[in-house]
Amino acid sequence: MIIDTYQSGAVMRILQSGKIYRASPSISFKKEYAALIDMLDLHCECPIFGVVRGRKQNTGGRVSDAVRIRLNVPREYVKLTEYTDWADFLDNFKYTNPNDYSTIIVGSLDVKSSDHLRVVESLKHQRHLFQYKMPQAILEYIDPKWVVRYKVITNTREQEDRKEHRLNFFRW
């Protein structure tokens, strides 16, 4: 499966040295990422996010001076989620029970428990690629053998967003 991921130059240097890259735990999203790791039964400290080449995508996680790395990842190493469901989960997380990310705290009027449960079930359930509107690829690590090519992105975020918007117009 062809995956594009936006990473820092430091990640690219690790891969160029022939070492496998594993993401360090996130400070700001530690609990949210731990929930995703649990939902997808991953074996890592922090998931690595990417997009599926040729499919509609939201690449808003990149920053200027990032490196876009194209990977050819064997399918068995890729988990997929619906991007909008992951975004909804992140929005809902502040209303979840601290001991159970799948339940909403009683009395929370901003999020319906049934809607949140649907999001959690969607994130857990792996489907065929074409059953996702905007698939998000999740990896446990990046093997340097998977690197097809890379490009240092020096464009401003606005330039990249306009380009991505034009490309998405022609994608599924």
Side-chain angles (χ1 to χ4, degrees):
M1 183 176 289
I2 305 299
I3 305 292
D4 286 335
T5 182
Y6 290 85
Q7 301 294 329
S8 70
V11 172
M12 194 63 230
R13 288 188 292 280
I14 290 168
L15 295 169
Q16 286 174 321
S17 74
K19 296 179 184 168
I20 288 176
Y21 169 70
R22 296 179 191 280
S24 298
S26 168
I27 295 171
S28 52
F29 292 105
K30 186 175 184 171
K31 291 179 181 180
E32 293 88 336
Y33 287 175
L36 183 64
I37 288 167
D38 180 62
M39 284 186 266
L40 297 177
D41 193 31
L42 299 175
H43 305 287
C44 61
E45 292 185 71
C46 185
I48 299 168
F49 296 88
V51 295
V52 179
R53 182 174 170 236
R55 295 300 312 267
K56 189 172 183 175
Q57 52 195 254
N58 183 328
T59 54
R62 74 186 175 289
V63 293
S64 59
D65 296 328
V67 179
R68 182 180 59 228
I69 306 171
R70 174 146 304 155
L71 306 168
N72 187 359
V73 183
R75 178 65 184 101
E76 62 267 21
Y77 295 103
V78 179
K79 298 285 186 170
L80 297 172
T81 61
E82 187 66 63
Y83 174 81
T84 54
D85 287 339
W86 174 240
D88 288 346
F89 180 82
L90 290 175
D91 285 343
N92 296 349
F93 194 79
K94 59 186 164 273
Y95 303 108
T96 61
N97 183 326
N99 300 320
D100 183 4
Y101 59 80
S102 65
T103 60
I104 298 296
I105 297 170
V106 175
S108 296
L109 301 175
D110 294 329
V111 179
K112 287 172 56 176
S113 224
S114 59
D115 291 343
H116 182 69
L117 192 54
R118 182 206 55 79
V119 166
V120 169
E121 288 305 313
S122 171
L123 291 170
K124 286 181 177 183
H125 181 69
Q126 293 294 292
R127 304 183 291 273
H128 188 275
L129 174 62
F130 293 103
Q131 291 178 306
Y132 293 91
K133 291 179 184 174
M134 196 179 305
Q136 175 174 251
I138 313 292
L139 305 172
E140 294 177 353
Y141 60 88
I142 300 175
D143 190 316
K145 294 182 283 190
W146 299 341
V147 177
V148 174
R149 67 175 177 252
Y150 67 94
K151 179 181 178 183
V152 176
I153 305 296
T154 55
N155 297 353
T156 66
R157 186 175 184 142
E158 291 77 23
Q159 289 170 322
E160 281 292 304
D161 286 344
R162 282 194 299 273
K163 180 180 172 185
E164 198 63 47
H165 179 72
R166 285 192 307 274
L167 288 173
N168 278 337
F169 183 75
F170 297 103
R171 291 183 174 135
W172 297 84

